[in-house]
């Protein structure tokens, strides 16, 4: 049929083509639509999303992940994202639960992706306290154990489970109330990405499709297999650790000289798993930092013993080699933190300027209680319309958020000075005055870059409050306590906004997300201190440089506050010059990385990661690079399988080794010691071996 024939039969060719195009577009949209898969499933009310079974499972997983995060905190301080593991295990446990109930005819409510999101939110909020609670940084830095390693041995606070739990309950909830009124701005109006929250949502959505459920079963099977292997491997290693520096963890796999300079493979399943999760550049950066410091710098500086510092000092003295290790690492961390703080802050301000300039927000400020603009909704996809409609359905009143913030702030100002008498009420008032703005900046920056700068804001509080209080008025403890208050506020604020993004993409109610975050935070305020207390009582050498758990950031944070309070007078010779050099180098490396673009910038190392082994050595970097190598080879052999199963394998290695820490700690508390000490000594350290080898 020709053109004229189509026109005579009442068919306009232009309209016909346009209609065909619209139909194809609509069909394509339906194929790509996530919500059309679930459109026949009723979305439960926010109260029905908060089930008893969800919180029972969350509590069990919170204990598991708190132990894992605590172990990572007290060893290296490198903590990978555990969102995938939390979502996967939450799905597995509740799915198994509901399947058993279904077979017995007792199932009343099916397991939904909204309930899965509630579990994941609760677990991440709870285990997050193990990081933001400062057990490997500012809080442990207050203790006498860490104080004895610094130049100031007087300003410390005796650790007690009671005041630690009380402090966390006071400090951990304020950040949740500070950003609640801004959720519509962040998620709907500004459409911020929040990559981790988005990835978690896609994962949860996929679990609840037929194909995704099959993949989830495979992932759980792999996770269980490597969990069992990792747990049994930890148990096997325990038998050979009857004394100091015994067992596989002290095996000089690269030779005795390399072992003395912290280069060895310590057979840690945890850090092999961490290496499989962390990007390649992070693992390479850690190894490079170890080579520069322990391979080159420290041997050269030790050759200057007697010139740069007294030759008779103990290895742990901060007036000697230990001072160079710690303060140069601090310089790199501060340089990297300052650069990224200014970069994210500038991107935040530019993004806000762009949003405010090109979108008319003056007539209607888009806070949580306002509905979306109808004309803009008409241009949205089916998924966006449905998600926006449900996201705005359950409101969290602004007055509730403001009232909660003011009430918690008032309680904090009244109670915190009783826990830390050095932290005056007016210091807290200043922090809480600026905290909402800083929480917003961190949440917005996290939405753009997926990078939370909570520890950087904490360091800012260390220097400001520490210097304000001064050495004579307890500036050390005041600075560390202020760091804790600030870190908890900005960390929980960005975490909540990540959860709101996950909830938006899985149709979970903002109210259920907020309640889940509150309950998870409350769980964490009890679970994390108890887990830390188990470590603290079980391992007498916790926090010592040569310990199994050196807690490197505790020493770093304490010396940061000493710098803020006392200045640079206590540094050894030429240490300040080297600190300036590495501070500038950290900024320069980041600047070059950004200028060359993503194509080449991905090959430039990260100064923050390079700084970690400067203090504790690079033994864990060997483990992490082995994890990277395993993943690299696996991807070359079968990339699809590696992408699907590698996170589960890595999680199994981390979880199994992490859980073994619990019975190991209990055995240590009970006085049960391993039967064998497997030790490798040099000829100079063992006269019997020397005589045997010489005969």
């Amino acid at each position: 049929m020709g053109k004229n024939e189509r026109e005579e039969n009442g068919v306009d060719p232009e309209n016909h083509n346009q209609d065909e195009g619209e139909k194809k577009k609509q069909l394509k949209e339906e194929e790509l639509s996530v919500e059309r898969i679930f459109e026949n499933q009723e979305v439960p009310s926010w109260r029905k999303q908060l089930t008893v079974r969800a919180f029972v499972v969350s509590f069990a997983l919170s204990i598991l992940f708190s132990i894992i995060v605590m172990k990572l905190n007290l060893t290296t301080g490198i903590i990978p994202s555990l969102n995938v593991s939390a979502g996967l295990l939450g799905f597995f446990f509740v799915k198994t639960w509901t399947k058993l109930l279904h077979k017995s005819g007792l199932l009343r409510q099916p397991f939904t992706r909204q309930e899965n999101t509630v579990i994941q939110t609760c677990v991440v909020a709870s285990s997050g306290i193990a990081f933001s609670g400062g057990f490997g940084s500012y809080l442990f830095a207050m203790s006498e154990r860490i104080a004895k390693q610094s130049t100031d041995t007087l300003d410390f606070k005796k650790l007690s489970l009671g005041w630690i739990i009380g402090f966390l309950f006071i400090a951990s909830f304020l950040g949740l109330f500070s950003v609640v009124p801004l959720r519509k701005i962040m998620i709907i109006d500004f459409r911020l990405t929040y990559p981790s929250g988005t990835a978690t949502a896609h994962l949860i959505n996929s679990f609840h499709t037929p194909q995704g459920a099959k993949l989830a079963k495979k992932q759980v099977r792999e996770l269980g297999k490597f969990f069992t292997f990792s747990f049994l491997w930890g148990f096997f290693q325990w038998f050979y650790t009857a004394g100091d520096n015994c067992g596989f963890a002290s095996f000089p796999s690269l030779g005795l000289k390399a072992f003395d300079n912290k280069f060895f493979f310590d057979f840690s399943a945890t850090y092999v798993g961490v290496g499989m999760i962390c990007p390649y550049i992070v693992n390479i950066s850690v190894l490079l930092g170890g080579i520069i410091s322990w391979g080159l710098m420290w041997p050269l500086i030790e050759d200057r013993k007697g010139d740069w510092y007294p030759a008779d000092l103990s290895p742990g003295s901060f007036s000697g080699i230990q001072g160079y290790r710690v303060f140069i690492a601090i310089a790199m961390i501060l340089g990297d933190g300052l650069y990224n703080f200014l970069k994210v802050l500038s991107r935040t301000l530019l993004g806000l300027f762009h949003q405010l300039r090109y979108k008319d927000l003056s007539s209607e400020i888009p806070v949580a209680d306002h509905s979306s603009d109808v004309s803009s909704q008409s241009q949205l996809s089916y998924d966006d319309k449905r998600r926006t409609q449900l996201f705005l359905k359950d409101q969290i009143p602004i007055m509730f958020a403001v009232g909660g913030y003011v009430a918690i702030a008032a309680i904090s100002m009244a109670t915190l000075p009783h826990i830390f008498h050095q932290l005056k009420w007016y210091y807290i008032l200043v922090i809480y005055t600026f905290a909402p703005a800083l929480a917003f900046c961190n949440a917005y920056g996290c939405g753009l870059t997926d990078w939370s700068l909570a520890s950087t804001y904490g360091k800012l509080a260390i220097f400001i409050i520490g210097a304000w209080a001064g050495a004579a008025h307890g500036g050390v403890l005041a600075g560390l306590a202020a760091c804790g208050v600030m870190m908890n506020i900005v960390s929980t604020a960005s975490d909540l906004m990540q959860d709101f993004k996950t909830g938006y993409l899985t149709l979970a109610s903002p109210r259920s997300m907020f309640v889940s975050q509150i309950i998870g935070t409350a769980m964490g305020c009890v679970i994390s201190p108890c887990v830390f207390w188990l470590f603290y009582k079980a391992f007498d050498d916790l926090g010592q440089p040569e310990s199994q758990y050196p807690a490197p950031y505790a020493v770093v944070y304490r010396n940061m506050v000493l710098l803020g309070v006392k200045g640079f007078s206590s540094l050894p010779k030429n240490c300040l010059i080297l600190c300036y050099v590495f501070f500038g180098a950290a900024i320069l490396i980041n600047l070059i990385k950004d200028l060359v673009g993503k194509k080449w910038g991905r090959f430039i190392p990260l100064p923050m990661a390079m700084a970690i082994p400067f203090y504790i050595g690079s033994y864990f970097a060997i483990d992490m690079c082995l994890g990277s190598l395993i993943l690299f080879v696996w991807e070359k052999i079968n990339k699809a399988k590696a992408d699907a199963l590698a996170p589960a394998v890595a999680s199994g290695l981390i979880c199994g080794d992490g859980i073994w820490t619990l019975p190991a700690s209990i055995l240590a508390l009970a006085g049960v010691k391993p039967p064998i000490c497997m030790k490798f000594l040099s000829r100079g350290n063992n006269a019997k071996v020397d005589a045997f080898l010489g005969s």
Side-chain angles (χ1 to χ4, degrees):
M1 185 163 51
K3 179 180 177 181
N4 292 335
E5 290 176 307
R6 285 199 302 269
E7 287 176 353
E8 286 174 7
N9 285 290
V11 178
D12 185 347
E14 291 183 5
N15 289 337
H16 178 76
N17 291 335
Q18 189 176 356
D19 291 342
E20 287 292 325
E22 287 177 359
K23 285 179 182 178
K24 286 180 181 178
K25 185 178 179 182
Q26 187 176 355
L27 286 170
K28 188 177 180 182
E29 182 186 311
E30 287 181 7
E31 286 175 9
L32 297 174
S33 173
V34 173
E35 295 310 325
R36 290 195 185 276
I37 298 172
F38 299 103
E39 65 181 342
N40 294 325
Q41 296 180 12
E42 182 185 357
V43 178
S45 66
W46 71 273
R47 285 188 176 87
K48 289 185 177 180
Q49 293 172 22
L50 303 167
T51 62
V52 174
R53 69 189 178 200
F55 291 115
V56 169
V57 169
S58 297
F59 182 76
L61 292 178
S62 293
I63 295 173
L64 167 64
F65 285 104
S66 293
I67 293 170
I68 293 165
V69 173
M70 194 67 68
K71 181 178 180 179
L72 296 173
N73 240 337
L74 295 172
T75 47
T76 64
I78 298 175
I79 303 169
S81 174
L82 298 172
N83 290 18
V84 172
S85 309
L88 180 61
L89 288 173
F91 172 80
F92 169 69
F93 282 121
V94 181
K95 198 70 177 175
T96 304
W97 186 336
T98 54
K99 191 176 287 185
L100 291 172
L101 290 177
H102 180 71
K103 287 180 179 178
S104 62
L106 299 173
L107 182 63
R108 294 181 180 179
Q109 184 176 338
F111 180 42
T112 63
R113 56 192 175 129
Q114 290 79 25
E115 189 179 355
N116 204 158
T117 306
V118 165
I119 294 170
Q120 190 271 337
T121 298
C122 189
V123 173
V124 172
S126 179
S127 58
I129 299 295
F131 167 72
S132 62
F135 301 102
S137 55
Y138 66 84
L139 191 139
F140 194 28
M142 300 177 187
S143 69
E144 187 177 6
R145 287 190 193 181
I146 302 300
K148 286 179 178 177
Q149 298 180 48
S150 68
T151 55
D152 175 31
T153 59
L154 299 176
D155 289 331
F156 64 86
K157 185 172 178 64
K158 186 177 180 181
L159 296 184
S160 165
L161 193 58
W163 74 253
I164 293 174
I165 292 174
F167 168 71
L168 291 177
F169 267 104
I170 293 167
S172 298
F173 291 91
L174 202 72
L176 301 179
F177 290 89
S178 63
V179 292
V180 163
L182 304 173
R183 74 180 193 279
K184 179 177 178 290
I185 292 178
M186 301 286 210
I187 305 300
I188 296 175
D189 293 297
F190 289 176
R191 304 183 70 79
L192 295 176
T193 312
Y194 290 102
S196 290
T198 300
T200 305
H202 289 322
L203 182 78
I204 291 171
N205 282 334
S206 71
F207 285 162
H208 294 266
T209 61
Q211 297 83 1
K214 289 179 182 177
L215 177 59
K217 285 181 182 177
K218 291 180 183 177
Q219 290 173 326
V220 169
R221 197 180 302 121
E222 292 299 313
L223 190 149
K225 188 190 303 179
F226 283 90
F227 176 96
T228 305
F229 164 76
S230 181
F231 182 88
L232 293 175
W233 175 240
F235 179 52
F236 173 74
Q237 288 188 85
W238 175 81
F239 279 96
Y240 300 93
T241 55
D244 295 332
N245 298 318
C246 294
F248 288 92
S250 299
F251 182 79
S253 49
L254 301 178
L256 287 164
K257 188 67 176 176
F259 180 81
D260 290 340
N261 286 286
K262 306 289 185 181
F263 283 94
F264 58 96
F265 175 57
D266 72 344
F267 295 90
S268 169
T270 294
Y271 281 100
V272 173
V274 170
M276 293 179 71
I277 292 176
C278 287
Y280 293 132
I281 192 61
V282 171
N283 303 331
I284 296 298
S285 299
V286 172
L287 182 61
L288 181 61
I291 293 170
I292 291 171
S293 55
W294 289 86
L296 297 172
M297 287 183 60
W298 306 155
L300 290 173
I301 291 174
E302 283 181 324
D303 289 341
R304 302 281 181 175
K305 187 190 296 183
D307 180 16
W308 284 20
Y309 61 93
D312 57 348
L313 290 175
S314 66
S317 173
F318 276 84
S319 297
I321 186 65
Q322 194 76 339
Y324 295 96
R325 291 171 184 165
V326 171
F327 289 110
I328 292 174
I330 288 172
M332 289 191 73
I333 291 168
L334 290 177
D336 185 272
L338 178 65
Y339 179 87
N340 284 293
F341 171 73
L342 294 175
K343 183 177 83 171
V344 173
L345 183 64
S346 62
R347 287 187 65 181
T348 299
L349 295 175
L350 285 171
L352 282 171
F353 174 75
H354 182 271
Q355 294 282 355
L356 294 170
R357 183 175 181 181
Y358 295 104
K359 186 172 182 179
D360 184 18
L361 300 176
S362 58
S363 60
E364 182 182 343
I365 301 173
V367 293
D369 284 343
H370 289 155
S371 60
S372 290
D373 186 74
V374 177
S375 61
S376 65
Q377 277 203 24
S378 62
Q379 299 172 4
L380 298 175
S381 67
Y382 173 81
D383 282 6
D384 287 332
K385 285 179 182 177
R386 183 155 170 75
R387 288 165 178 168
T388 302
Q389 177 190 3
L390 289 167
F391 188 75
L392 297 173
K393 179 183 174 184
D394 294 325
Q395 304 295 337
I396 302 173
I398 294 177
M399 290 310 298
F400 170 77
V402 173
Y405 188 90
V406 172
I408 295 173
I411 293 169
S412 299
M413 284 189 288
T415 54
L416 280 178
H418 290 285
I419 300 175
F420 308 103
H421 65 267
Q422 301 88 350
L423 190 66
K424 306 301 181 185
W425 68 268
Y426 43 88
Y427 299 158
I428 303 168
L429 178 61
V430 170
I431 292 171
Y432 286 170
T433 302
F434 291 99
L438 297 177
F440 169 76
C441 288
N442 193 48
Y444 189 94
C446 190
L448 291 172
T449 64
D450 205 31
W451 198 333
S452 173
L453 296 176
S455 59
T456 304
Y457 288 106
K459 290 163 194 161
L460 188 66
I462 279 183
F463 287 110
I464 293 173
I465 303 299
W468 186 2
H473 298 92
V476 172
L477 289 179
L480 290 170
C483 170
V485 172
M486 182 64 79
M487 266 187 71
N488 276 286
I489 292 171
V490 296
S491 177
T492 51
S494 61
D495 288 348
L496 178 63
M497 207 53 70
Q498 287 270 20
D499 292 334
F500 278 148
K501 182 69 175 184
T502 305
Y504 171 77
L505 294 171
T506 58
L507 303 190
S509 168
R511 285 189 184 181
S512 66
M513 292 291 91
F514 185 74
V515 172
S516 180
Q517 185 89 16
I518 291 279
I519 293 173
T521 302
M523 286 181 185
C525 289
V526 176
I527 293 171
S528 291
C530 291
V531 171
F532 171 73
W533 204 247
L534 187 65
F535 278 87
Y536 187 70
K537 289 297 183 182
F539 304 102
D540 293 331
D541 60 352
L542 184 74
Q544 299 298 319
E546 302 301 323
S547 163
Q548 181 184 357
Y549 301 104
Y553 278 106
V555 177
V556 166
Y557 272 66
R558 185 165 186 92
N559 284 280
M560 275 185 193
V561 74
L562 285 173
L563 282 179
V565 172
K566 295 185 175 180
F568 303 110
S569 58
S570 60
L571 297 181
K573 185 179 178 181
N574 295 321
C575 184
L576 185 59
I577 295 172
L578 289 171
C579 287
Y580 286 144
V581 169
F582 279 88
F583 179 87
I587 293 174
L588 184 63
I589 290 169
N590 275 302
L591 184 62
I592 294 171
K593 190 178 182 71
D594 286 338
L595 288 176
V596 299
K598 288 184 178 180
K599 183 179 179 181
W600 298 106
R602 60 197 176 99
F603 297 111
I604 297 175
L606 304 170
M608 184 73 79
M610 290 174 66
I612 297 168
F614 271 56
Y615 172 56
I616 60 172
S618 56
Y619 58 92
F620 66 95
I622 308 291
D623 304 349
M624 292 173 67
C625 286
L626 178 62
S628 282
L629 181 63
I630 291 168
L631 181 62
F632 179 79
V633 172
W634 193 358
E635 286 179 337
K636 289 295 181 183
I637 296 171
N638 191 334
K639 191 173 190 315
K641 193 172 182 179
D643 290 342
L645 299 179
V649 170
S651 299
L653 290 171
I654 295 169
C655 294
D657 197 31
I659 280 297
W660 164 247
T661 307
L662 182 60
S665 302
I666 294 170
L667 289 170
L669 282 172
V672 178
K673 292 186 177 181
I676 304 167
C677 174
M678 184 173 67
K679 203 164 189 175
F680 302 87
L681 302 173
S682 66
R683 292 179 61 181
N685 289 336
N686 194 318
K688 291 182 180 179
V689 174
D690 211 18
F692 175 78
L693 292 175
S695 59

